[in-house]
Amino acid sequence: MVSRVIPVDPFDLVIFGGTGDLARRKILPGLFRRFCAGQMPKDARIIGAARADMDAAGYRALIAEAIAEFGGGRTCEDGTLDGFLERLHYVPIDARGEKGWADLAGLMRDDVVRAYYFSVGPSLFGDLAQRLNAHGMTDEASRIVVEKPFGRDLASAKALNKDLATYFDESQIYRIDHYLGKETVQNLMAVRFGNMLFEPLWNSQYVDHIQITVAETVGVGGRGEYYDKSGAMRDMVQNHLMQLLCLIAMEPPSKFDPDAVRDEKLKVIRALDAVEPHHIVRGQYEAGDEGPGYREEAGDPRSRTESYIAMKVGISNWRWAGTPFYLRTGKRLKARSSEITVVFKELNHSIFGEQQDHRNVLSIRLQPNEGITLGVTIKEPGPGGMRLVDVPLDMTFADALGEDGADQTDAYERLIMDVIRGNQTLFMRGDEVEAAWAWTDPIIDGWDARGDVPKTYDSGSEGPVDAVQMLARDTRVWRKVAP
Ligand code: NAP
């Protein structure tokens, strides 16, 4: 199967924070891969902007190093890197001052798509938006891309939305959640809405429960102090897990267009039940072979921030009332694995008698080994009567789609190309983000008010034992965290 690469329109993409970690690790290597794939038109330009004094040659050298380190080993033909680097420019600029703004304004072209990527801390979003406007660098077709975290609670998210809305229309604002750029996450929609098979069963009448797991093996490492101000709830649940939950639970949109999809996601968030304290387990990892314990890495021996969270969530709507969603995410767990599992109900009646306690389980693996598996019950081969066995119908994309299945385009490169195309479907709308915080805030406020202390768990384990017990009370078990 041959990938189709549809070139995008010529663009000037300014990356504020163009020397930072995210730009070097993800954004620029991703753009390089799009260049190698032939998706970048000849006159596209990428302009790095940060306070450090540097010229274009210095910036090109910095990015060449970043591509060597973070490019994932994907190489293009000889000479292609130079072709890419030629498109890079650099302007020293201060988001909070006047330095560099006239230079940047002088560099921008009128007849191309203008996109401004705010790869800086959110405290600079308002300053950047205001200065872009003051220097006449935006028009109706200009876009801005903003990174997470989009606020740390409802009040701060509202303030950010308000700041941006002063200068930009919602149709110009692209709030990135890179989970939405993952191939399998989009496949979730293709599987649900592109097949007759699943949709009729996709409700509380047939689905017993759904699990969403995002497990990491890494700890907070050098980011400990930063992470300690957020924790798993703010860093993962409010955004990434919430988006996965929305895609799995939403009603079919009338069409695959940005507002139709985002309207349906918003309805899911608004239908989420408040979570009871005994339906949440928070954890912190202990020291182990893998490294120091959470509190040590966070630099605070009394830290109450969670590096793990598991929760039972209900959705009060016609489709899902009575079907629990179990979410869990954590660091320093046994394996790196992101998976959504739909566990269907037992048969109403088995003609095979008591031996039949098999259930269909649909697993959607986001990483690693992207793919979808459906567990079905068949007859165990051989003589000796009718014995049943569960087997997986396995569609690992790498197997099913050959090279195209294995060679996944990184989420960032896909999303940046969507920005240039002007397609907001895979970006969060302001009201979605606010609704997610409105649901999250009371949970976090409750912990603070009660002085809730996270449970400990062993590094390299599957998380706190309390999370296992939470499901056991519902006579259910977590899927194994396995690669
Ligand atoms: P970083 O490594 O600290 O880089 C920050 C960048 O902003 C640098 O290029 C810095 O360069 C520039 N900068 C800082 N103050 C500035 C100012 N006043 N004017 C102009 N430029 C300024 O941060 P990062 O990790 O790249 O993260 C950037 C954003 O992405 C943050 O909001 C972060 O939360 C988010 N994010 C990061 C990751 C990740 O993996 N790194 C993942 C998801 C989201 P100068 O100091 O030279 O100005």
Side-chain angles (χ1 to χ4, degrees):
M1 194 187 285
V2 178
S3 294
R4 279 192 307 138
V5 173
I6 303 168
V8 296
D9 289 337
F11 60 83
D12 278 349
L13 169 64
V14 179
I15 305 174
F16 293 107
T19 58
D21 179 69
L22 183 67
R24 285 182 295 111
R25 260 184 337 108
K26 289 287 181 187
I27 303 173
L28 271 308
L31 285 165
F32 176 55
R33 285 193 292 270
R34 288 298 89 209
F35 176 81
C36 294
Q39 198 170 23
M40 212 175 272
K42 279 199 175 55
D43 41 4
R45 297 189 312 177
I46 298 155
I47 303 162
R51 286 170 305 181
D53 278 321
M54 207 186 299
D55 58 12
Y59 190 58
R60 288 169 187 167
L62 181 82
I63 299 309
E65 258 177 54
I67 289 172
E69 192 175 351
F70 304 114
R74 279 184 248 187
T75 49
C76 300
E77 292 159 24
D78 279 354
T80 314
L81 178 61
D82 289 340
F84 175 71
L85 295 176
E86 276 167 20
R87 283 137 193 274
L88 302 188
H89 302 262
Y90 182 80
V91 178
I93 210 163
D94 186 354
R96 291 218 161 103
E98 280 313 306
K99 173 184 165 183
W101 285 96
D103 295 337
L104 184 59
L107 206 58
M108 301 302 289
R109 296 172 294 175
D110 284 331
D111 49 351
V112 297
V113 173
R114 290 180 176 197
Y116 300 99
Y117 198 130
F118 292 8
S119 182
V120 294
S123 62
L124 296 179
F125 290 177
D127 294 299
L128 289 174
Q130 185 265 323
R131 280 170 178 72
L132 283 171
N133 181 267
H135 289 271
M137 291 165 63
T138 57
D139 56 28
E140 279 176 9
S142 310
R143 297 127 217 210
I144 58 168
V145 184
V146 294
E147 264 299 336
K148 84 164 201 186
F150 200 84
R152 55 175 284 107
D153 52 21
L154 178 58
S156 54
K158 275 187 168 171
L160 276 178
N161 274 337
K162 192 164 165 244
D163 279 352
L164 297 181
T166 310
Y167 305 105
F168 295 95
D169 186 72
E170 181 63 35
S171 62
Q172 298 176 282
I173 304 172
Y174 291 70
R175 294 174 194 79
I176 280 217
D177 183 322
H178 71 274
Y179 266 63
L180 291 179
K182 287 180 187 288
E183 185 72 17
T184 329
V185 173
Q186 291 168 69
N187 235 317
L188 206 60
M189 286 188 274
V191 166
R192 280 197 62 193
F193 306 126
N195 292 288
M196 199 60 204
L197 200 60
F198 299 111
E199 197 48 32
L201 306 179
W202 213 259
N203 55 58
S204 59
Q205 199 181 339
Y206 297 102
V207 176
D208 178 72
H209 73 278
I210 292 179
Q211 297 186 15
I212 302 179
T213 298
V214 177
E216 298 177 279
T217 50
V218 293
V220 292
R223 290 175 64 229
E225 272 183 50
Y226 160 81
Y227 183 92
D228 203 47
K229 296 187 193 80
S230 76
M233 188 71 177
R234 289 190 171 99
D235 193 49
M236 295 297 292
V237 177
Q238 185 274 343
N239 38 52
H240 306 316
L241 273 79
M242 179 70 73
Q243 289 297 320
L244 298 180
L245 174 66
C246 286
L247 294 179
I248 202 100
M250 71 184 184
E251 295 300 314
S254 59
K255 49 188 184 269
F256 190 59
D257 100 356
D259 276 326
V261 171
R262 297 184 302 176
D263 285 348
E264 296 306 337
K265 288 199 294 170
L266 179 62
K267 283 186 210 162
V268 173
I269 304 173
R270 289 188 172 154
L272 293 177
D273 295 340
V275 183
E276 303 283 337
H278 63 284
H279 288 157
I280 304 186
V281 175
R282 300 165 73 218
Q284 280 179 343
Y285 56 81
E286 303 236 71
D289 292 346
E290 299 81 356
Y294 174 78
R295 289 179 171 196
E296 198 181 324
E297 288 192 327
D300 177 0
R302 294 156 57 90
S303 168
R304 291 182 170 177
T305 304
E306 75 286 351
S307 61
Y308 172 99
I309 191 159
M311 60 202 306
K312 176 180 174 180
V313 178
I315 302 178
S316 280
N317 65 16
W318 191 273
R319 185 185 285 263
W320 291 119
T323 294
F325 288 70
Y326 298 101
L327 316 185
R328 118 189 111 145
T329 181
K331 294 190 180 292
R332 279 278 190 84
L333 295 176
K334 191 173 176 185
R336 174 174 172 262
S337 155
S338 300
E339 189 181 66
I340 301 171
T341 311
V342 181
V343 181
F344 289 90
K345 289 191 170 167
E346 285 180 27
L347 295 176
N348 288 348
H349 167 72
S350 169
I351 64 167
F352 304 109
E354 286 181 8
Q355 63 163 317
Q356 171 67 327
D357 59 354
H358 302 266
R359 294 160 184 256
N360 297 114
V361 175
L362 180 74
S363 314
I364 301 150
R365 292 188 307 279
L366 310 181
Q367 64 187 23
N369 307 325
E370 292 89 343
I372 297 176
T373 309
L374 177 64
V376 293
T377 301
I378 61 165
K379 177 186 171 298
E380 197 177 298
M386 182 62 101
R387 293 186 311 275
L388 303 181
V389 63
D390 285 342
V391 294
L393 281 181
D394 194 348
M395 199 188 75
T396 300
F397 295 153
D399 296 341
L401 304 175
E403 234 177 60
D404 279 357
D407 186 18
Q408 305 286 330
T409 306
D410 184 79
Y412 273 96
E413 44 192 290
R414 180 192 314 281
L415 292 173
I416 296 170
M417 289 299 109
D418 276 359
V419 172
I420 305 298
R421 284 193 204 96
N423 184 348
Q424 287 186 305
T425 310
L426 300 176
F427 295 83
M428 294 179 295
R429 213 168 50 192
D431 50 4
E432 264 184 87
V433 177
E434 289 186 14
W437 280 122
W439 177 78
T440 312
D441 274 4
I443 298 173
I444 297 175
D445 292 348
W447 297 335
D448 292 344
R450 290 190 302 275
D452 191 89
V453 180
K455 313 286 179 192
T456 54
Y457 61 95
D458 291 339
S459 286
S461 71
E462 297 205 9
V465 69
D466 303 63
V468 177
Q469 289 163 351
M470 183 172 78
L471 256 70
R473 287 198 296 272
D474 293 351
T475 59
R476 296 184 176 110
V477 289
W478 289 108
R479 298 268 296 175
K480 286 252 165 291
V481 176

